[in-house]
Structure formats: C-alpha cells, structure tokens
Amino acid sequence: QVQLVESGGGLVQAGGSLRLSCAASGSIGRINAMGWFRQAPGKQREFVAVITSRGNTNYADYVKGRFTISTNNTKNTVYLQMNSLKPEDTAVYYCNADVAARYTTQSYPYWGQGTQVTVSS
C-alpha cells in the first residue's frame, strides 16, 4: 500500500505565498511522476503541475510563472511553491503520484487526502 500525506495549506492574503508538501510512503518500488491537482467548491478537479522521475515539469497555464513544483533528493516528496497567490487559487489541493509498488511493474495513481488553500482578497 502507498500513502500520500500533504501539508502546508492555510489562509493567505492575495499576493502572498504558500508551500505545499506531499510525502509518499509505504511499499514503493518506483515513482514515475508526482503532481498536484486542485478542486474549488462547485468545480471539477483540475490539473496544476507535475514532475516526472527525470525531473521534467509541466504546469497549467493559469499557474505558470507563479507556482514551482520540485522534489527532494530521494524523490519521494513533492513540493509546490505558490507565489503571487490570487483569490481564484482558493481550492483543496490534492497530491497525486503514479507509483509501482515494490516487486511489481504495473503502476497506479494514488491520491492524498487534500489540503485547503484559501486566498483572501
């Protein structure tokens, strides 16, 4: 079993910054990619950013230039540095990872429990 635990959400004023973290643990064989999605009230979950095991990154247009995704040395923790936050960034942010369990080759997507980010105007 694989677990993803997020932290770092909170309340911030517009223009401020927050840093989210997501640590993967459990029976991990290989992490292919880790990323972030978000879901605002009444809206569908949407893609924010992703980083692959090779370090390639991709961002949604609405966060480009403001958010930065990165991993730690062991690549089992992913971070999302969020700068110049806007009220429309308010959402529950979910960590996502594509993981193959130990001793297996098939990978599956795993989700964290979500962390609330609220940006006040």
Side-chain angles (χ1 to χ4, degrees):
Q1 192 64 286
V2 175
Q3 298 83 38
L4 301 178
V5 178
E6 300 125 331
S7 60
L11 173 65
V12 65
Q13 286 189 332
S17 299
L18 281 174
R19 189 192 195 207
L20 306 182
S21 300
C22 172
S25 63
S27 181
I28 297 172
R30 183 186 72 254
I31 299 178
N32 296 317
M34 297 186 79
W36 293 92
F37 288 71
R38 68 187 187 186
Q39 188 167 18
K43 295 187 177 181
Q44 289 190 335
R45 192 171 297 188
E46 62 183 12
F47 168 76
V48 175
V50 65
I51 184 167
T52 70
S53 59
R54 295 187 177 185
N56 297 319
T57 59
N58 192 28
Y59 297 90
D61 286 344
Y62 34 83
V63 304
K64 272 182 185 176
R66 300 188 297 122
F67 292 9
T68 303
I69 191 169
S70 62
T71 58
N72 65 346
N73 288 338
T74 59
K75 298 185 179 180
N76 66 340
T77 299
V78 64
Y79 306 98
L80 186 68
Q81 178 66 43
M82 305 184 294
N83 298 328
S84 301
L85 282 162
K86 305 175 182 180
E88 51 263 45
D89 294 318
T90 295
V92 177
Y93 283 69
Y94 294 92
C95 176
N96 169 267
D98 184 63
V99 181
R102 202 171 294 156
Y103 312 122
T104 69
T105 56
Q106 178 67 52
S107 63
Y108 296 92
Y110 292 87
W111 293 91
Q113 80 284 357
T115 185
Q116 177 70 46
V117 171
T118 303
V119 184
S120 63
S121 57

